[in-house]
Amino acid sequence: VVKLVSLMFFQDVQIGDIVLGLPSNGLHTNGYSLARKLLFEVAKYSPETYVNEIKNKVGNELMRTHKSYWPAVRKLIDGQCVVALAHITGGGITENLPRVLPRGTAAVIELGSWPVLPIFEHLQQLGNVPQDEMLRTFNMGMGMLLVVPSAKFKKAQSVLERGGEK
């Protein structure tokens, strides 16, 4: 049984809404070309190379299964806590979040307000990649961004905590 829901993206987003981020567990679906170049060509790692900075073998890190956000998102939708969703894929936060915002609006994202996964820090160091390029290429530890009305923030936070999300 599939339950269809109607979300009124864009027009329901209001000035003062809050952007919440759901953490990623790795690269997910973006940045693999640059990651492979840095890991295999620049660093000369093999898939079996264990890298202390990422506490994993390179191949295992690249093959990490993409986290599903559906359980948390479904609960937030059912609770009418979310007015827009941005899956942080190719284009990173820089290009994906603006797609769900109404024309003429912008969001302020506080860098440093979430832990950046070691793989991203290591890739940035390997290639001396500028921060703006990292944010445009990788999810940087945020796999899904949720736009939540400020009046629903506490409820959304509670729903996420009960569901085991950070």
Side-chain angles (χ1 to χ4, degrees), residues 72-117:
V73 167
R74 181 182 43 85
K75 289 175 185 166
L76 290 167
I77 290 171
D78 288 348
Q80 299 178 334
C81 294
V82 62
V83 292
L85 304 163
H87 189 205
I88 308 306
T89 59
I93 295 169
T94 305
E95 294 178 11
N96 286 287
L97 181 57
R99 291 181 185 138
V100 302
L101 301 177
R103 185 178 301 262
T105 64
V108 176
I109 302 299
E110 296 177 17
L111 298 177
S113 63
W114 71 89
V116 174
L117 299 175

Side-chain angles (χ1 to χ4, degrees), residues 36-140:
R36 283 192 315 268
K37 179 178 182 173
L38 294 173
L39 295 168
F40 297 131
E41 294 176 27
V42 173
K44 306 287 189 214
Y45 297 149
S46 78
E48 293 301 314
T49 304
Y50 182 87
V51 180
N52 287 329
E53 290 84 353
I54 63 175
K55 295 178 177 46
N56 203 353
K57 289 182 180 179
V58 170
N60 291 344
E61 191 66 33
L62 290 175
M63 296 302 293
R64 188 181 297 271
T65 303
H66 186 304
K67 177 181 177 179
S68 172
Y69 295 102
W70 176 241
V73 167
R74 181 182 43 85
K75 289 175 185 166
L76 290 167
I77 290 171
D78 288 348
Q80 299 178 334
C81 294
V82 62
V83 292
L85 304 163
H87 189 205
I88 308 306
T89 59
I93 295 169
T94 305
E95 294 178 11
N96 286 287
L97 181 57
R99 291 181 185 138
V100 302
L101 301 177
R103 185 178 301 262
T105 64
V108 176
I109 302 299
E110 296 177 17
L111 298 177
S113 63
W114 71 89
V116 174
L117 299 175
I119 184 64
F120 300 116
E121 292 173 338
H122 190 62
L123 290 170
Q124 185 171 22
Q125 181 184 7
L126 283 175
N128 195 27
V129 182
Q131 185 70 10
D132 62 333
E133 181 66 20
M134 292 295 294
L135 289 165
R136 191 173 35 258
T137 304
F138 300 108
N139 67 53
M140 298 302 289

